[in-house]
């Protein structure tokens, strides 16, 4: 997974601004969908944590031609107790920060786990595009996250739903280190 670091500030903020503008065109053409069939499903991870899906966002069919799974995690600064429910409601307003990035196809939004970490599990069209997005998003997340809590994993050639199904069903590569990002199975 290599070294992870944000893009340079100017490059990241230009990418976020372009995404923001593209998102409004997608919304006006009704290309953004919020399917509910996965909402409520609890995902377990190789680090022993679990988290429920509280929203899914999909662009068009949600399927990539060059599939790649991206998993992002972070811990919010100053959010505790009922603040988590407030964050989950307001997070819908964050949609313009990712839907318009080139290559986005779908995202599962996971509520905080036992360590107050949030995760997003995405299907992206192209590993390079997923990495560019994660490094751009880093600048946004850094404004509200506990320092050092932002991480991401890019899994080229693997569909998100195969990763979520777990290693036995989906052929997901086994981890070489503690895998906070690797779902073990959903319930």
């Amino acid at each position: 997974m290599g070294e992870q670091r944000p893009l340079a500030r100017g490059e990241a903020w230009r990418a976020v601004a372009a995404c923001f503008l593209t998102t409004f065109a997608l919304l006006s053409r009704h290309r953004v969908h919020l399917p509910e069939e996965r909402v409520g499903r609890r995902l377990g991870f190789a680090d022993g944590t679990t988290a429920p899906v509280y929203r899914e966002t999909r662009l068009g069919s949600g399927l990539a031609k060059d599939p790649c799974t991206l998993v992002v995690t972070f811990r919010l600064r100053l959010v505790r107790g009922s603040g988590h429910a407030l964050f989950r409601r307001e997070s819908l307003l964050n949609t313009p920060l990712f839907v318009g990035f080139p290559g986005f196809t779908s995202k599962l939004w996971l509520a905080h786990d036992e360590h107050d970490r949030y995760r997003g599990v995405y299907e992206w069209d192209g590993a390079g595009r997923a990495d560019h997005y994660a490094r751009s998003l880093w600048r946004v997340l850094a404004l509200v996250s506990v320092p050092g809590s932002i991480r991401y994993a890019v899994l080229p050639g693997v569909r998100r739903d195969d990763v979520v199904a777990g290693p036995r069903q989906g052929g997901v590569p086994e981890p070489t280190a503690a895998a906070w990002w690797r779902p073990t199975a959903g319930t």
Side-chain angles (χ1 to χ4, degrees):
M1 280 179 225
E3 181 184 354
Q4 297 183 348
R5 64 192 190 313
L7 285 179
R9 281 183 175 82
E11 184 180 358
W13 288 111
R14 280 189 299 277
V16 169
C19 166
F20 201 80
L21 294 173
T22 301
T23 297
F24 289 105
L26 294 168
L27 289 169
S28 70
R29 293 193 316 256
H30 305 285
R31 299 272 329 274
V32 180
H33 308 286
L34 300 172
E36 295 185 11
E37 55 267 10
R38 290 176 183 86
V39 173
R41 179 178 181 189
R42 183 168 282 278
L43 300 182
F45 290 87
D47 65 359
T49 60
T50 63
V53 174
Y54 71 90
R55 181 178 302 123
E56 181 175 5
T57 303
R58 189 179 73 217
L59 185 59
S61 72
L63 296 175
K65 292 177 183 159
D66 178 17
C68 168
T69 297
L70 169 66
V71 184
V72 175
T73 189
F74 59 94
R75 277 187 41 228
L76 290 171
R77 214 178 299 151
L78 306 175
V79 175
R80 304 285 180 268
S82 61
H84 288 294
L86 179 63
F87 171 74
R88 288 191 303 271
R89 284 191 298 276
E90 81 73 31
S91 66
L92 184 63
L93 301 175
N94 298 332
T95 302
L97 299 175
F98 64 87
V99 169
F101 264 88
F104 170 79
T105 60
S106 65
K107 175 184 180 180
L108 295 178
W109 306 61
L110 276 63
H112 65 290
D113 67 13
E114 295 82 356
H115 301 292
D116 288 339
R117 291 177 300 190
Y118 285 85
R119 288 181 181 96
V121 183
Y122 302 77
E123 180 156 329
W124 216 268
D125 199 349
R129 290 172 163 180
D131 186 70
H132 182 263
Y133 162 72
R135 294 179 63 212
S136 297
L137 174 70
W138 194 307
R139 293 294 181 184
V140 175
L141 289 175
L143 299 173
V144 297
S145 295
V146 172
S149 70
I150 303 167
R151 298 169 74 182
Y152 68 94
V154 177
L155 306 168
V158 184
R159 292 203 179 278
R160 182 201 68 195
D161 288 348
D162 291 339
V163 171
V164 169
R168 287 180 184 78
Q169 296 93 337
V172 177
E174 287 299 318
T176 56
W180 59 268
W181 57 266
R182 185 174 55 92
T184 54
T187 59

